[in-house]
Amino acid sequence: MHMEARKYVWEGAIPLQIHLHESEVTTLPPPPPALILAPRIGYLPLLVGLIKPYFGSSLPPGVDTIWFEYKGLPLKWYIPTGVLFDLLCAEPERPWNLTVHFRGYPVHVLIPCEGEDSVKWSFINSLKEAAYIINGNCKNVMNMSQSDQVELWRSVMNGNLEAYLRVSSKLKLVTVEDDYTVKLNSSSKSQQGTGETDFAGQVKTGRIPVRLYVWSVSEDFDDLEDAPDIDCWDKISFINRPVEVHTEEAGKCFTLRDAIKTLLPEYFTDKPLFSDESPKLEDEEMNLSSEDAGSNKNTEVEEILFEHVTRNAEIKLVRIQGIEPKLEIPFSWVVNNLMNPDYFLYMCICVRVPEVNTV
């Protein structure tokens, strides 16, 4: 594992410019926006301790129910801040302009958040889920001592990688061996000594916890700044599915492309749209007179149109921890260096899916 890469991830931060919503401003002039560096691996509700004192004197009376929005979209508090930024800003916006609300919590969009405790238990539950995916059970997480649990959570809140590794190592959550680094090290050693190095079997079979956020667009664009905005969560497809990594043949490795292909197989098909065995929509078939044939005909047309759309879809962007990696990079390196503290690998993908006129 490249500790230097992990360190960069843990030290990553997003500059935020946070505005108090105009409907909640009770003073003149209104308060200027708050400027904050938010850790990528952190969560927006954990910034309340910095934001509340700053805007407190301008708030109307009432009970605080804090939430954030970006361009009118309420932000899901249990998604890490860095993932939200990667997902919602195709063209990175610095500083990232967010609006904070202390009133009017949108219960129809966001699940309730009771502050730090809610975030902590959401994180622990994610850790349990990841442990179950990796080991087939979550006993090590369930059996954590109270002191270890507190230290683990504080290490995430404070961005303390050393403390995190000290506690998380007790959980024995080994994901997958970094075959890229192993090969480099082995190549270096083989050049110094005698004999040949066999790389077969160096990647252990494993299940990788992955959370994939996919947003589809119908318009094509060349520059990220021209990508359409995401104005509702219905435009995002969330895939929470493990990736199976199997032992590879000699000289081969399981790549990021292979991983995405297992999660989104419909966008990685090499088969032609129409094969010799597939039914063709000839004129005489399209003119069948029976009602049953008409029903089957419509179903076939819909299936072929769907196939046409997915086969002509194009992946425009893959972003992990603010990085847009090449798809040929070994997946083991991505997992071991870019996963979040809850042992999930979060990926944001933009797919262009052309519209098809069914009329």
Side-chain angles (χ1 to χ4, degrees):
M1 183 183 297
H2 285 257
M3 287 304 301
E4 185 177 358
R6 290 292 299 274
K7 188 177 179 182
Y8 274 122
V9 169
W10 274 67
E11 292 178 349
I14 300 167
L16 303 182
Q17 185 165 262
I18 301 177
H19 307 258
L20 178 61
H21 193 268
E22 58 183 11
S23 67
E24 300 177 19
V25 176
T26 62
T27 59
L28 288 175
L35 299 174
I36 295 176
L37 269 180
R40 269 192 156 271
I41 63 171
Y43 302 84
L44 289 176
L46 301 182
L47 303 176
V48 170
L50 298 173
I51 297 172
K52 177 63 186 296
Y54 186 84
F55 292 121
S57 61
S58 300
L59 295 175
V63 178
D64 294 339
T65 52
I66 301 174
W67 56 285
F68 297 82
E69 69 166 77
Y70 175 60
K71 294 184 177 181
L73 177 69
L75 301 182
K76 297 186 176 182
W77 55 265
Y78 50 85
I79 300 178
T81 305
V83 179
L84 288 171
F85 182 67
D86 292 345
L87 179 64
L88 302 177
C89 293
E91 174 67 20
E93 176 184 313
R94 296 185 180 90
W96 191 21
N97 282 275
L98 302 183
T99 300
V100 64
H101 295 256
F102 289 81
R103 306 289 183 269
Y105 196 86
V107 293
H108 61 290
V109 178
L110 305 179
I111 62 175
C113 177
E114 303 297 332
E116 182 187 329
D117 281 346
S118 293
V119 182
K120 174 185 176 182
W121 289 116
S122 175
F123 170 81
I124 294 298
N125 285 334
S126 286
L127 194 61
K128 291 177 184 176
E129 185 179 346
Y132 188 85
I133 291 171
I134 295 169
N135 291 338
N137 65 76
C138 55
K139 285 189 270 187
N140 288 344
V141 179
M142 297 286 289
N143 295 334
M144 286 179 70
S145 67
Q146 185 65 29
S147 59
D148 281 349
Q149 195 175 112
V150 170
E151 186 177 0
L152 183 70
W153 175 240
R154 284 180 178 170
S155 70
V156 174
M157 286 188 63
N158 299 328
N160 188 335
L161 178 58
E162 291 184 6
Y164 169 81
L165 293 175
R166 185 168 57 251
V167 180
S168 63
S169 63
K170 300 179 183 180
L171 301 177
K172 296 179 172 52
L173 298 180
V174 178
T175 49
V176 64
E177 198 173 327
D178 187 352
D179 56 320
Y180 177 70
T181 304
V182 168
K183 289 180 182 181
L184 286 181
N185 293 339
S186 299
S187 297
S188 176
K189 291 178 181 178
S190 64
Q191 291 174 2
Q192 297 173 7
T194 58
E196 297 180 355
T197 303
D198 181 10
F199 300 130
Q202 289 186 343
V203 180
K204 298 177 181 177
T205 300
R207 303 179 77 225
I208 309 302
V210 173
R211 285 177 175 164
L212 182 66
Y213 293 89
V214 182
W215 77 99
S216 302
V217 297
S218 57
E219 309 91 341
D220 196 8
F221 57 89
D222 295 320
D223 297 322
L224 292 178
E225 61 183 12
D226 297 326
D229 293 332
I230 299 172
D231 53 13
C232 73
W233 286 103
D234 290 340
K235 294 183 178 180
I236 305 295
S237 298
F238 173 58
I239 299 174
N240 188 20
R241 187 185 306 155
V243 171
E244 299 275 356
V245 178
H246 301 283
T247 301
E248 293 295 324
E249 300 175 3
K252 295 183 179 180
C253 69
F254 189 83
T255 65
L256 178 59
R257 180 187 297 275
D258 295 326
I260 297 176
K261 188 174 180 179
T262 65
L263 296 168
L264 300 172
E266 62 271 26
Y267 299 129
F268 286 88
T269 178
D270 297 324
K271 295 187 297 183
L273 179 58
F274 294 103
S275 64
D276 293 338
E277 294 78 14
S278 62
K280 297 180 182 179
L281 299 181
E282 303 288 354
D283 289 342
E284 56 269 23
E285 288 180 296
M286 296 297 288
N287 291 324
L288 291 176
S289 57
S290 72
E291 293 183 4
D292 290 342
S295 175
N296 292 335
K297 173 189 66 179
N298 291 335
T299 301
E300 287 180 2
V301 170
E302 291 174 359
E303 290 177 351
I304 290 175
L305 287 174
F306 173 77
E307 234 183 318
H308 175 75
V309 167
T310 54
R311 289 171 189 267
N312 286 276
E314 176 188 3
I315 293 182
K316 302 291 292 186
L317 176 69
V318 176
R319 189 173 286 162
I320 307 170
Q321 295 290 6
I323 302 169
E324 296 168 23
K326 293 183 178 180
L327 299 187
E328 291 72 30
I329 190 172
F331 188 59
S332 56
W333 188 95
V334 175
V335 172
N336 285 306
N337 293 282
L338 302 183
M339 68 179 177
N340 270 60
D342 59 3
Y343 275 83
F344 271 92
L345 180 69
Y346 291 82
M347 295 194 288
C348 301
I349 297 181
C350 178
V351 178
R352 185 183 73 85
V353 180
E355 290 183 343
V356 173
N357 189 353
T358 59
V359 178

